[in-house]
Amino acid sequence: MSHVDADSSPPSSPSFSRDWFFPSPSPSPSPDCAHSSAAASSAAAKTPKYPHRFSTNPRPFSSSSSSSAAASLDPKPPRPLSFRSAPPVSPPPPYREARYAGPRRRLGPSHRSERPPAAGEKKAVSSGGGADRKPEALAEKVPSRCEGVGDLRRRLGLRWRMAFLVAIVLTAFSSVVHKNFSLRSQVEDLQGQISQLRITLQACSLLDLAEFEGSVDEQNQDGPNKRFKNIALMSSLSILCIPILLFKCIDKVPRLRSSDCILEEVSLNKQLAYRLDVFFSVHPYAKPLALLVATLLLIFLGGLALFGVTDDGVADCLWLSWTYVASAGNHADSEGFGPRLVSLLISFGGMLIFAMLLGLVSDAISEKFDSLRKGRSEVVEQNHTLILGWSDKLGSLLNQLALANESLGGGTIVVMAERDKEEMELDIAKMEFDFRGTSVICRSGSPLILADLKKVSVSKARAIIVLAVDGFAERSDARAFKTVLSLTGVKEGLRGHIVVELSDLNNEILVKSVGGDLVKIFVAHDVIGRLMIQCAWQPGLAQIWEDILGFENCEFYIKRWPQLDGMQFEDVLISFPDAIPCGIKVASCGGKIILNPDDSYVLQEGDEVLVIAEDDDQYAPAALPMVWRGHLPKEFSIDQSPEKILFCGWRRDMEDMIMVLDASLAPESELWMFNEVPEREREKKLIDGGLEISRLANIKIENREGNAVIRRHLESLPLESFDSILILADESVEESAVQADSRSLATLLLIRDIQAKRLPLGMAPSRRGNFSQSSWMGEMQQASDKSVIISEILDPRTKNLLTMSKIGDYVLSSELVSMALAMVAEDCQINDVLEELFAEEGNELHIRPADLYLCEGEELSFYELLLRTRLRREIMIGYCLANAEKAVINPPAKDERRTWSLRDVFVVITEKE
């Protein structure tokens, strides 16, 4: 073993001089540079300031490292090194400020250019012409902005040098710390060797010696493990320090951006903050991903730190780190200052991690419940009915659709409107309807946005209903047009048809041009106006329409029956015991529906039969019965006489109603209009609607201005002389169903009371009620036999008041429209049938007296009456007995004979007269 003398001088080591940071000038400087250097040296020699900071000779290192190496080879303990044994320090050289060496070398050429030229040089310049002015010209062309660039670059150089110096200091600090830990480990190794030598001296057997050798091998193996542990500990500390250093120093590292010679300085701190903001805003899983990375990093760094301060392996330390992160109480069993400190820090980081995780989970759950509450989630349904919009008709529409789905065990109805989901569900719950197994799902959204339409699975719906918005007709129809345009733009296409409710008949062509054959239009306002006129001539017709349109009783169905091919329509009429055929859907005419065809029409292959039945699966053709036709008792003749009709209120389609009246009434009839619209404005509105008053052939218009709910205004009218009185839902209160119905009901009661006061004494009592003749209600019922009053009702709840009083008929417009929309939604072919029944030409429903078809006391079956009405080209669909209050549509037991009265009435489908 070689011995190293502790007093010997240490070997020479590289010196850290100023020339290592700043390179020295070139070996052959110019005279100016030499002159400036000499001047600087002389100035430094005169004023020596802080000479030890700029010493050019290296300071010798301490010999502690050599002594430690010698101590590791010599079993003797190392002798401490005194200050006397240190080598003498050489005197410092003359002061020279090294940091200006570089700039002086760069400024050398400029100094040479400024010195006075020699004689030869002057001649050379003068011979060159204007060459002496070129550097000055170039100097003048340099913009001041470039000087700013130079200053910025110098600042950048200084900042990078500062960062470089900080990195060197950190490296030196890390090396010193590492050297300290290595010396500590060496001391521990030496102490272990000393203890083992003592054990060796005390050993007395070979077995003890063998065990001693094994322990020595283990100690020898523990040396490299401790080095790895120290490296792991230092690595974890370094990784933890890097983000802190970056956070502190990142503002000092600017980034240059040039655009049109304009320099913009943006700090990296702002750039990183912006990138993080964009990342967390754009990516939906950014927060969970960042939390996962932070958790894994904490486990990894904690495992490395535990590996450095404990005797466990890497895998065990990583597992311990995970347990400390998962549970803050697992570090209670740690022993020693180092393991306890590391485990405490890991547990603290785990608490932060799980606090953030709990916040993310809580936010996700609350956001999900908030989206469900506000109706933002997607509807995953197929073959459902989609309703777009919200109006007063929605309740009746939902009820009718639920009745239609009852035979199928229920269905799904999705309602999307620009309202809050909770408000819609609360309003639907207040309706107290029995939906019979049908689910109603509400979603908040706009039908004009494709994303909202996709949210309600618009492409998979079997029917889409676009409701008219309550308010002005122009605004409502414009919104319906935009909705249809948005529906036609769905990329996936539409599986079902679109049913659109319009308020103005003039907008039908515009919507048809956009939607094509996929759109079925129902003009509610025009239909109700025509129905009110029909009900004024035929009281009770509105209730018959309620029975036919609603799904509660009988309705229209279209179906093909191959066994009926080749049969005449006259035989088809009596082939269904539980249904009444009304028309044929002709396959050869492109599926055109013909109502009330000729008896001689023969069904061809592919033809379908239109019937009125209670349900789709409750009727089928049977064998032909033996029916006796008979003869009509008298010829049918129309005896028209002039009529006097009163309109109370103003509707948007007033001009259409007047034209229908003019085409139907006898000449010299009178139409009185009583409302609050001034007469000049009335004429202007009628002319703008396309009505020319001078061309009316059969009616004469009388205008009266007044309020229909003020008694003295009504008393100015000859109310006892009118044949029919129509109380219209006034345009001014049309937006509120409750207010419109209250106004209509008040007008009805006032008119009936005035009529009862003007009736002559001794008038026959009314047969329609049980009230006494002297009572107030009985007087109004007597007045109702004198004239017919039809009230337009918007709210279904008002119907009960009119039904109980029996003082007037009504047209429940909103419910009738809802029934029609539900029927067209279930089967789009029914729209053609309704259009013909409510159109100006074609077929319509009529109520006929019994004396047109039979004699008093005649006994006939319904089949026989059905064939007898065919003699007038009519189809009988029901009847109303004299003492009954409700008509019977599609009666059962059609082959059963019974005795009829002349006071009975029959409901038929006939051509318009």
Side-chain angles (χ1 to χ4, degrees):
M1 178 181 298
S2 61
H3 180 70
V4 181
D5 191 3
D7 296 333
S8 61
S9 61
S12 61
S13 59
S15 61
F16 292 86
S17 66
R18 61 176 178 82
D19 295 332
W20 189 80
F21 296 102
F22 306 100
S24 61
S26 60
S28 60
S30 62
D32 295 334
C33 293
H35 178 72
S36 61
S37 299
S41 300
S42 61
K46 292 180 181 179
T47 58
K49 187 177 182 181
Y50 308 115
H52 58 279
R53 294 181 58 182
F54 301 96
S55 176
T56 55
N57 292 333
R59 178 176 295 178
F61 289 117
S62 174
S63 60
S64 60
S65 59
S66 302
S67 302
S68 300
S72 63
L73 299 177
D74 196 351
K76 297 180 180 180
R79 187 180 62 181
L81 185 62
S82 62
F83 289 101
R84 296 179 180 178
S85 61
V89 181
S90 61
Y95 172 75
R96 182 179 181 182
E97 194 172 358
R99 59 179 177 177
Y100 297 107
R104 286 171 180 165
R105 287 193 301 272
R106 289 193 295 268
L107 294 174
S110 63
H111 286 296
R112 287 195 302 270
S113 62
E114 293 175 0
R115 65 182 175 85
E121 293 175 353
K122 185 175 182 182
K123 292 179 180 180
V125 172
S126 62
S127 63
D132 54 347
R133 293 189 301 270
K134 186 175 182 180
E136 297 178 358
L138 291 176
E140 293 176 355
K141 291 182 181 180
V142 176
S144 61
R145 189 175 298 168
C146 296
E147 295 178 1
V149 174
D151 294 339
L152 183 58
R153 288 179 177 174
R154 282 195 293 272
R155 289 199 302 270
L156 284 175
L158 292 176
R159 291 182 179 179
W160 281 112
R161 287 171 187 172
M162 290 176 62
F164 187 64
L165 287 175
V166 171
I168 291 176
V169 171
L170 291 177
T171 305
F173 176 73
S174 300
S175 62
V176 170
V177 174
H178 178 68
K179 192 172 186 62
N180 187 10
F181 275 98
S182 63
L183 291 176
R184 181 179 177 184
S185 63
Q186 290 178 8
V187 170
E188 292 177 355
D189 293 340
L190 291 176
Q191 290 177 355
Q193 291 178 7
I194 292 172
S195 62
Q196 294 300 328
L197 289 176
R198 291 176 181 175
I199 295 173
T200 304
L201 294 176
Q202 296 175 1
C204 300
S205 61
L206 295 175
L207 182 59
D208 294 337
L209 182 60
E211 292 178 356
F212 167 74
E213 291 177 355
S215 62
V216 170
D217 294 336
E218 292 179 358
Q219 292 292 334
N220 293 333
Q221 292 177 0
D222 289 341
N225 289 335
K226 289 185 177 181
R227 295 190 185 93
F228 286 120
K229 290 179 180 295
N230 294 330
I231 293 174
L233 183 60
M234 293 301 301
S235 300
S236 62
L237 292 176
S238 301
I239 294 174
L240 287 175
C241 292
I242 287 175
I244 299 175
L245 293 176
L246 289 176
F247 181 76
K248 292 294 184 181
C249 302
I250 197 169
D251 288 335
K252 299 180 180 179
V253 184
R255 180 179 177 181
L256 294 179
R257 291 184 180 179
S258 60
S259 175
D260 298 332
C261 296
I262 298 177
L263 298 177
E264 181 182 359
E265 185 176 343
V266 180
S267 63
L268 290 178
N269 192 6
K270 293 183 179 180
Q271 295 179 15
L272 290 178
Y274 171 72
R275 297 298 178 186
L276 287 175
D277 186 16
V278 171
F279 177 74
F280 282 105
S281 301
V282 173
H283 299 280
Y285 301 104
K287 294 180 181 179
L289 182 62
L291 187 61
L292 177 62
V293 171
T295 305
L296 295 177
L297 187 61
L298 178 61
I299 294 173
F300 177 73
L301 294 180
L304 288 182
L306 286 175
F307 178 70
V309 298
T310 61
D311 296 335
D312 298 331
V314 177
D316 296 336
C317 291
L318 291 175
W319 177 254
L320 283 176
S321 178
W322 157 246
T323 58
Y324 295 160
V325 170
S327 178
N330 287 339
H331 68 282
D333 297 335
S334 301
E335 296 180 357
F337 177 76
R340 287 181 178 177
L341 178 61
V342 174
S343 60
L344 179 63
L345 295 177
I346 296 174
S347 300
F348 183 72
M351 288 189 291
L352 293 179
I353 290 292
F354 274 90
M356 290 187 289
L357 178 61
L358 182 62
L360 287 179
V361 173
S362 177
D363 291 342
I365 293 175
S366 61
E367 184 178 356
K368 184 64 177 177
F369 277 104
D370 187 61
S371 63
L372 292 175
R373 181 175 58 85
K374 293 185 178 181
R376 298 175 183 173
S377 60
E378 185 176 356
V379 176
V380 185
E381 293 287 347
Q382 292 185 357
N383 296 325
H384 58 283
T385 303
L386 177 61
I387 301 176
L388 302 178
W390 187 278
S391 67
D392 295 334
K393 309 178 187 68
L394 183 64
S396 301
L397 180 59
L398 292 176
N399 188 28
Q400 293 301 321
L401 292 175
L403 290 172
N405 295 329
E406 184 180 6
S407 60
L408 302 176
T412 303
I413 303 174
V414 181
V415 181
M416 187 179 74
E418 296 182 12
R419 298 184 60 194
D420 188 68
K421 176 177 177 290
E422 294 180 343
E423 294 180 1
M424 291 190 287
E425 292 177 348
L426 184 60
D427 291 344
I428 293 175
K430 290 179 180 179
M431 298 174 185
E432 297 181 355
F433 289 134
D434 183 12
F435 292 110
R436 300 171 177 84
T438 298
S439 301
V440 180
I441 302 173
C442 297
R443 288 292 180 267
S444 179
S446 174
L448 306 180
I449 301 176
L450 292 178
D452 292 343
L453 292 176
K454 185 178 179 181
K455 182 174 61 177
V456 293
S457 300
V458 64
S459 59
K460 300 178 182 179
R462 64 185 179 92
I464 304 170
I465 302 176
V466 181
L467 292 179
V469 182
D470 296 333
F472 296 102
E474 295 80 5
R475 186 189 307 169
S476 176
D477 291 352
R479 186 171 183 81
F481 172 75
K482 293 179 182 178
T483 303
V484 173
L485 191 62
S486 178
L487 289 172
T488 55
V490 177
K491 296 181 180 180
E492 295 82 3
L494 300 178
R495 180 186 301 178
H497 55 281
I498 307 172
V499 184
V500 183
E501 178 193 359
L502 293 181
S503 301
D504 194 347
L505 185 63
N506 298 327
N507 299 323
E508 182 179 2
I509 300 177
L510 181 62
V511 179
K512 278 275 189 183
S513 62
V514 175
D517 298 334
L518 195 64
V519 177
K520 304 299 179 182
I521 298 176
F522 187 81
V523 186
H525 214 71
D526 183 70
V527 169
I528 297 302
R530 294 177 182 275
L531 182 59
M532 289 193 66
I533 294 176
Q534 293 180 8
C535 293
W537 297 330
Q538 307 174 71
L541 188 62
Q543 283 72 26
I544 295 174
W545 270 113
E546 288 183 14
D547 293 339
I548 295 177
L549 293 179
F551 287 96
E552 192 170 0
N553 296 315
C554 295
E555 52 271 1
F556 290 104
Y557 292 102
I558 300 177
K559 206 172 189 179
R560 167 163 169 72
W561 302 97
Q563 58 267 38
L564 299 179
D565 292 346
M567 188 180 296
Q568 292 184 355
F569 183 74
E570 182 181 11
D571 297 331
V572 174
L573 283 173
I574 57 177
S575 297
F576 293 90
D578 300 318
I580 299 178
C582 300
I584 301 296
K585 181 181 179 181
V586 183
S588 59
C589 297
K592 181 181 178 181
I593 297 177
I594 301 177
L595 279 174
N596 190 15
D598 294 334
D599 290 340
S600 60
Y601 179 81
V602 180
L603 269 71
Q604 305 296 326
E605 183 179 359
D607 290 350
E608 301 179 21
V609 182
L610 171 68
V611 301
I612 293 180
E614 188 172 354
D615 209 344
D616 190 19
D617 55 353
Q618 294 186 2
Y619 74 98
L624 291 176
M626 296 298 296
V627 181
W628 177 69
R629 182 188 294 267
H631 301 281
L632 294 175
K634 64 178 182 178
E635 294 293 333
F636 178 70
S637 60
I638 302 176
D639 186 15
Q640 287 188 338
S641 58
E643 296 186 22
K644 196 173 182 181
I645 300 177
L646 172 65
F647 282 177
C648 290
W650 184 271
R651 283 170 56 96
R652 295 192 307 268
D653 59 343
M654 186 67 75
E655 61 276 0
D656 296 332
M657 298 178 67
I658 293 175
M659 286 189 286
V660 172
L661 283 175
D662 185 64
S664 304
L665 294 178
E668 299 182 0
S669 298
E670 295 181 8
L671 173 62
W672 290 55
M673 292 193 299
F674 179 73
N675 49 68
E676 296 181 285
V677 180
E679 295 185 12
R680 294 182 179 179
E681 293 187 12
R682 297 181 196 178
E683 296 180 0
K684 181 180 180 182
K685 288 184 177 182
L686 294 177
I687 293 174
D688 293 341
L691 175 65
E692 295 183 9
I693 302 177
S694 59
R695 293 189 178 183
L696 295 177
N698 298 326
I699 60 175
K700 178 184 177 182
I701 298 179
E702 294 287 341
N703 291 306
R704 293 292 185 272
E705 185 177 348
N707 194 341
V709 294
I710 299 178
R711 185 182 182 91
R712 69 173 185 275
H713 291 178
L714 290 173
E715 289 178 346
S716 62
L717 300 174
L719 297 177
E720 70 281 359
S721 63
F722 291 108
D723 298 305
S724 301
I725 299 175
L726 276 68
I727 303 176
L728 309 176
D730 199 88
E731 186 180 13
S732 60
V733 293
E734 190 178 5
E735 296 182 2
S736 176
V738 176
Q739 186 176 357
D741 289 354
S742 300
R743 186 183 181 91
S744 299
L745 188 59
T747 303
L748 173 62
L749 295 176
L750 288 175
I751 291 176
R752 283 304 188 199
D753 185 59
I754 294 173
Q755 287 179 341
K757 300 299 182 183
R758 295 179 181 180
L759 286 176
L761 297 176
M763 190 174 179
S766 174
R767 62 178 175 84
R768 295 195 299 173
N770 298 323
F771 298 97
S772 62
Q773 183 177 357
S774 59
S775 66
W776 174 72
M777 191 64 68
E779 292 178 356
M780 286 194 293
Q781 287 184 358
Q782 292 179 16
S784 64
D785 291 338
K786 178 67 177 176
S787 63
V788 177
I789 298 182
I790 306 297
S791 303
E792 181 181 2
I793 302 301
L794 303 179
D795 193 351
R797 293 171 292 186
T798 314
K799 174 179 66 174
N800 301 328
L801 300 176
L802 295 176
T803 303
M804 293 175 60
S805 63
K806 301 176 185 178
I807 59 175
D809 207 347
Y810 63 89
V811 174
L812 191 55
S813 59
S814 61
E815 191 166 357
L816 288 176
V817 172
S818 302
M819 292 176 179
L821 292 176
M823 290 191 67
V824 179
E826 291 295 319
D827 190 356
C828 61
Q829 305 173 102
I830 305 300
N831 189 53
D832 298 335
V833 180
L834 298 180
E835 284 184 353
E836 182 174 351
L837 291 176
F838 287 111
E840 296 180 1
E841 299 178 356
N843 293 271
E844 62 181 355
L845 288 180
H846 269 275
I847 298 178
R848 301 292 195 192
D851 58 354
L852 295 177
Y853 308 104
L854 51 85
C855 298
E856 180 68 29
E858 190 173 1
E859 186 177 348
L860 298 171
S861 67
F862 188 80
Y863 275 144
E864 293 173 347
L865 287 173
L866 183 61
L867 293 181
R868 191 172 291 186
T869 56
R870 292 301 297 167
L871 297 175
R872 300 187 187 277
R873 187 69 184 279
E874 298 173 350
I875 299 177
M876 183 181 295
I877 64 174
Y879 59 84
C880 182
L881 300 179
N883 297 326
E885 296 181 357
K886 191 175 182 181
V888 179
I889 305 298
N890 183 28
K894 296 179 176 60
D895 55 351
E896 182 180 351
R897 301 174 67 88
R898 59 174 302 169
T899 303
W900 303 90
S901 172
L902 294 181
R903 292 185 301 171
D904 299 336
V905 293
F906 296 97
V907 183
V908 299
I909 296 177
T910 182
E911 293 183 356
K912 290 182 173 62
E913 301 166 355

